[in-house]
Amino acid sequence: MCGGGGGAPPRPWAPGRPAAGPGRRHTVTAGCERIDFAAPARIGEMVEATGRVARVGRTSMGVEVELWAEAPVSGERRLCTRGVFNMVAPCEAGQGDLPSVPDKGEEPGDGWLRTAEMVFPTWTNHYGTLYGGDALKLMGKAAFICATRRARGVMVMAASNRIDFSSPIREGDMIELASRVTRVGRSSVTIEVELWAEALLTGERRRSAVAEFVMVAVDEAGRSAPISKPAATLEPA
């Protein structure tokens, strides 16, 4: 369980992506308004941080951030924290005011579960790019969450099939992990995971890696167990 002081740090990048995205400029945090702590997030739960640009000024914007917790096995979700961050984009020579943010409405679901992270220096190798071991760890974690949400059971990794790395990910890039279920068996779930990189200031996106993982449901003794509510079997697109 995290206390009140732990509500803000879990995803310090959460406001940065929507703030840097619309303006495509360097942004810094100028302050934060009221932060409400509504419920705890417990060990082993998935935490989802969402950010939305609420208002835009000449060189500043307000970003509303919500932190949700989800119990992977039961699917219970609850709002843990909500706050507003004031972000400032210093105006450099030749730059005008920040553009307004169009209302895009709700985006339809496409069957992919998406998570985002920022690549900080501690994750990079001596080339200044994301270390392959950390990339694999992030992809395995995404596969675990996706499989657990589909099966709503205790899942372990049984195999990782071919993994292809096609483009380096640089320090300061945002990475997006997109995962989806491609096949459901009696006790196993096959997950496809794509790793995307995005340069926040330019918006350039590239698929950097793709992998396939086989996750298996297990009982208290660690033996394979049938998935209680299997969904219809899916084939890769």
Side-chain angles (χ1 to χ4, degrees), residues 183-205:
R183 182 170 300 174
V184 178
R186 188 189 71 88
S187 60
S188 65
V189 180
T190 302
I191 307 292
E192 178 186 5
V193 181
E194 292 185 351
L195 179 61
W196 289 77
E198 177 179 328
L200 286 177
L201 299 184
T202 65
E204 177 216 357
R205 284 175 58 86

Side-chain angles (χ1 to χ4, degrees), residues 32-55:
C32 59
E33 300 176 17
R34 177 185 176 91
I35 298 179
D36 296 311
F37 296 93
R42 299 179 175 87
I43 293 174
E45 292 186 328
M46 182 186 76
V47 176
E48 176 184 295
T50 61
R52 181 182 71 88
V53 176
R55 60 179 182 271

